[in-house]
Amino acid sequence: MKKIPVVFHMDQLCHKPLFEWAFGEKIAHPETTSRAERILSEISRKPEIFELVSPRSFPLALIRQVADSSVIKVLKAASRLPPKKTFYPYVFPKNRSEEANPELIEHAGFFCLDSGTPLNATTWSAAAWSAACAAKAAQYVAERKTRLSYGLCRPPGHHASFHQFGGYCYFNNAAIAAKKLQILGKVAVLDIDFHHGNGTQELFYEDNQVLTVSLHGDPKMFFPYYSGFSSEKGRNKGKGYNVNIPLQKNINGTQYLNHLKKALKEISEFKPKYLVVAAGFDTFEGDPVGSFCLKTDDYESIGKMIAGLDLPTVVVQEGGYAAEKLGVNVVRFLLALRRLQRV
Ligand code: Q9C
Ligand code: ZN
């Protein structure tokens, strides 16, 4: 069986968000470098199964498809910040002012969703390498080199929309993978992160060639709060091509799998040529951000069920903040998908 390509670039580790504001408290930022390090260390224990590869350049044309030039300019402007300086936007205008200037770091709030997604001199490079991981993972599948690939994307991506970064995300990595594959046929994006994939939903909201399906904590109670409701079904041509499945707060593995079955039914009825999985592991029982009760074994069951679609699949890393268990959870999930490599 072919090895599973794991795409990662060391410069992604230069991104070190310090803290965020959570419900009035300043807390240590959950999106740490140790997340990627835990995944890398688990993967390196199985060299007969995984092949670690690095992207070689930024996928600028693809980034431009998922991010407005202003968002790109903001991150590039942040590259000019002094090395230890971090900017946390804290004013978020709702209007689209003519005066909004992406070169001015104080205006970053125009292009940003929340206060948990800081900017510093390394943000642009880390986010662009993360995007490059998604693009290269998609390339493996597009060129039929493998039927399964994994982009170890960090920072994550699914909260980033065309006009705004946020939710620890800068560029929408899953959308980059989908855009790359879309040229070749219909794509389904399945988002199993604890949070609603608002950015991915928005990027494909009017598209009937990309089906977006997300299972997540109910936005009535959880970030991003303003989207992820089941009534959001797509717009214009895209009507009927977005599916949201908000779930109860303490859902366990068995219950989760029942909902996943419904999600997969929607996907198989769409008859896509490719699958992109926005894979967050903040659904884990011990996660400090999520509230679900999934166990490590459940990720194997989820992987098996997804593999049942038998589609060429690109897995893109999203959230998951119980860092000590993140590596084992990711590996259990990928091993269950490995049957896709059989030809
Ligand atoms: N600390 C992803 O999982 N902050 N993003 C919530 C509680 C935003 C999570 C406040 C959570 C975003 C990719
Ligand atoms: Zn999440």
Side-chain angles (χ1 to χ4, degrees):
M1 232 189 285
K2 278 183 193 162
K3 289 186 188 179
I4 304 170
V6 172
V7 194
F8 184 74
H9 193 285
M10 287 312 279
D11 285 358
Q12 291 169 253
L13 296 177
C14 295
H15 176 64
K16 292 183 173 72
L18 303 170
F19 61 83
E20 73 163 333
W21 294 104
F23 316 110
E25 306 271 354
K26 187 179 174 181
I27 61 162
H29 205 291
E31 210 285 280
T32 59
T33 49
S34 66
R35 300 177 59 246
E37 284 158 356
R38 288 307 311 156
I39 297 170
L40 287 171
S41 108
E42 283 304 313
I43 273 167
S44 68
R45 291 161 64 117
K46 294 189 166 51
E48 70 287 3
I49 295 177
F50 298 106
E51 181 191 10
L52 190 61
V53 294
S54 290
R56 261 172 279 162
S57 57
F58 294 164
L60 289 174
L62 280 165
I63 290 174
R64 286 204 183 87
Q65 285 188 56
V66 301
D68 185 45
S69 62
S70 298
V71 173
I72 296 171
K73 278 184 192 149
V74 176
L75 301 202
K76 285 193 176 167
S79 303
R80 299 190 287 271
L81 284 165
K84 290 238 156 71
K85 174 87 181 159
T86 300
F87 186 81
Y88 282 81
Y90 60 95
V91 178
F92 306 95
K94 293 192 184 70
N95 61 321
R96 301 217 150 267
S97 170
E98 294 271 300
E99 301 294 334
N101 179 1
E103 307 285 345
L104 205 59
I105 199 87
E106 288 76 8
H107 277 196
F110 272 108
F111 316 99
C112 178
L113 179 62
D114 74 338
S115 62
T117 319
L119 297 171
N120 65 33
T122 61
T123 307
W124 157 254
S125 137
W129 282 125
S130 188
C133 292
K136 188 165 174 124
Q139 193 172 350
Y140 273 91
V141 166
E143 291 175 355
R144 297 190 193 209
K145 287 197 179 118
T146 61
R147 281 186 93 229
L148 173 64
S149 64
Y150 171 59
L152 207 178
C153 298
R154 182 227 165 239
H158 74 152
H159 295 305
S161 63
F162 193 71
H163 297 286
Q164 285 184 315
F165 63 97
Y168 317 159
C169 304
Y170 301 91
F171 297 130
N172 196 312
N173 305 311
I176 283 176
K179 291 274 186 195
K180 185 144 182 119
L181 295 167
Q182 192 178 3
I183 305 163
L184 304 169
K186 292 198 290 183
V187 182
V189 182
L190 173 65
D191 191 319
I192 56 169
D193 186 276
F194 174 81
H195 303 94
H196 174 233
N198 60 289
T200 321
Q201 166 173 311
E202 194 185 299
L203 279 156
F204 298 107
Y205 210 53
E206 301 193 18
D207 196 329
N208 62 359
Q209 298 300 299
V210 175
L211 173 72
T212 43
V213 181
S214 179
L215 301 104
H216 45 259
D218 195 323
K220 276 188 209 137
M221 284 171 281
F222 297 104
F223 186 88
Y225 304 104
Y226 68 88
S227 77
F229 301 97
S230 55
S231 57
E232 297 155 14
K233 294 180 190 300
R235 193 188 304 120
N236 298 337
K237 262 201 318 180
K239 200 155 197 87
Y241 297 90
N242 184 75
V243 179
N244 283 328
I245 307 179
L247 302 170
Q248 79 190 55
K249 199 161 135 203
N250 303 315
I251 201 162
N252 67 29
T254 317
Q255 296 164 318
Y256 188 91
L257 287 166
N258 274 326
H259 289 281
L260 181 64
K261 202 179 284 175
K262 284 185 279 174
L264 297 181
K265 191 165 176 282
E266 299 274 358
I267 290 174
S268 56
E269 283 168 5
F270 176 64
K271 295 188 171 57
K273 188 164 177 193
Y274 300 102
L275 179 68
V276 174
V277 184
F281 296 81
D282 36 9
T283 50
F284 186 60
E285 56 180 348
D287 194 277
V289 179
S291 72
F292 292 169
C293 304
L294 269 57
K295 298 184 186 304
T296 298
D297 286 346
D298 293 322
Y299 295 105
E300 180 174 327
S301 311
I302 293 170
K304 275 188 188 157
M305 209 182 251
I306 294 172
L309 289 173
D310 199 25
L311 291 166
T313 299
V314 180
V315 176
V316 171
Q317 181 64 41
E318 299 287 355
Y321 307 100
E324 12 16 281
K325 288 298 180 70
L326 181 58
V328 292
N329 290 342
V330 168
V331 165
R332 284 290 285 281
F333 177 66
L334 292 174
L335 290 179
L337 284 169
R338 197 173 173 229
R339 63 182 63 184
L340 292 170
Q341 298 278 46
R342 270 190 232 126
V343 277

